[in-house]
């Protein structure tokens, strides 16, 4: 087979704010994409919907054996990559809906900064252990990007954003997305932060 | 932290003959271990027991979304690494018990060749699409290693091997093993063929 041409379509990146591995991937994705001349689009999704409702599985961290492994593996990843990381015990339990809806709102209304807003929400949670389920904290983070606090607050409970997020989650399921991080480029799916090397090799035009 | 000293304990490697990713890992493990001066021990386990009974999950390939992903990812891995690979549709459905018990017998009685016997069983299934649930085929593969065909045949249905394999599976669960491939070295667990790079970095004495 001839090598695949590089610099084709965009990289689609799905993540759940509750997923530390999604955060880890988000920290490397833009650099990887830029190095290969690819655009990215970030999509927030809800693991609870895909894992619980569609796959019929338990929440990952509550699954015997696997939950312990994922905690160990996340902490080890953070040490290896020298990340300040709160671990699942160090972050407040939150609903992922408020940050996901706020992110969705920024994506629609401030597309030029929505990824950085998402990155800041993510870091506030997993790096700083802040309660990003709290509307005031979301608004404070949004203010760093000159997002209108009232509009953001309204968006979190609006039917419009509820429907938009629901649509994003449905669309993710249609694409076969079931985990976080989940990346699709050139119709090739890559699940897990452990596949970033494989993704890079793909973007290098491996041809397989 | 100071870097961890290299060349410590052995690498424990768990696999299920039904797992193509376990096969992929087995093809690289010995070379990785040798390069880092580590011994290896291979352990056959039964994903059906851990995944179904302990974790309460569905079989992986029957799990919505994830099953499709794993099929795609396995085929892609094989293309990338230029492996002849039958895919899950190209291999006969088998019980993993006969090859696992035969492997267990070889491990006890012919420890100097048991890994190569396991490797040959694995290749017969995933590379050649042979029915390694069939006692005669197992005996034929064993003959290449001068394993006694009758002893091997008897072992597959013996209480002794049934108990020994059950003990290995229980031991794997005690170690937190829930997938294939699963590797533990220096008390650090590595799940999935995608973690082999991380394992290598660990063996290089990363110190994280």
């Amino acid at each position: 087979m001839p090598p695949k041409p590089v610099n084709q379509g965009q990289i689609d990146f799905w993540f759940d704010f509750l997923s530390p591995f999604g955060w880890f991937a988000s920290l490397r994705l833009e650099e990887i994409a830029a190095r290969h001349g690819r655009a990215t689009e970030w999509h927030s999704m809800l693991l609870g919907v895909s894992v619980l409702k569609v796959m019929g599985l338990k929440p990952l961290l509550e699954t015997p054996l696997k939950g312990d492994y994922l905690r160990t593996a996340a902490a080890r990843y953070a040490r290896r990559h020298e990340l300040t990381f709160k671990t699942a015990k160090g972050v407040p339990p939150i609903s992922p809906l408020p940050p996901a809806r706020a992110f969705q709102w920024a994506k629609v209304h401030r597309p030029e900064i929505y990824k950085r807003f998402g990155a800041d929400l993510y870091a506030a949670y997993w790096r700083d252990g802040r309660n990003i389920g709290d509307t005031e904290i979301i608004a404070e983070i949004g203010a760093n990007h000159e997002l209108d606090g009232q509009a953001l607050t309204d968006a979190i409970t609006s039917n419009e954003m509820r429907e938009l997020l629901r649509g994003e989650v449905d669309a993710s399921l249609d694409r076969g997305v079931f985990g976080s991080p989940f990346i699709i480029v050139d119709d090739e799916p890559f699940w897990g932060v452990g596949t970033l090397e494989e993704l890079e090799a793909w973007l290098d035009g491996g041809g397989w």
Side-chain angles (χ1 to χ4, degrees), chain A residues 13-15 17 41-46 96-111 113-115 117-118 121 138 147 151-152 155-156 158-172:
Chain A
F13 165 57
W14 284 266
F15 65 96
F17 282 109
E41 181 176 347
W42 291 27
H43 308 263
S44 66
M45 46 82 81
L46 302 169
L97 293 175
R101 288 186 191 146
F103 174 82
Q104 203 61 43
W105 184 85
K107 187 171 173 177
V108 172
H109 294 279
R110 295 289 302 282
I113 58 90
Y114 83 102
K115 295 178 204 172
F117 177 54
L121 286 169
I138 292 173
L147 296 180
L152 208 47
I156 289 168
S158 73
N159 277 327
E160 188 194 350
M161 285 308 133
R162 181 178 295 126
E163 289 304 317
L164 206 56
L165 179 59
R166 194 171 288 166
E168 272 275 36
V169 172
D170 288 345
S172 76

Side-chain angles (χ1 to χ4, degrees), chain A residues 20 23 71 74-75 78 84-92 125-127 129:
Chain A
W23 179 48
R71 276 182 280 270
T84 301
F85 175 58
K86 288 295 183 194
T87 79
K89 284 183 184 168
V91 294
Y125 194 57
W126 288 108
R127 184 191 64 200

Side-chain angles (χ1 to χ4, degrees), chain A residues 133-156:
Chain A
D134 184 294
T135 306
E136 286 186 26
I137 289 176
I138 292 173
E140 181 195 320
I141 294 167
N144 294 333
H145 299 283
E146 297 174 358
L147 296 180
D148 183 79
Q150 192 58 53
L152 208 47
T153 303
D154 293 345
I156 289 168

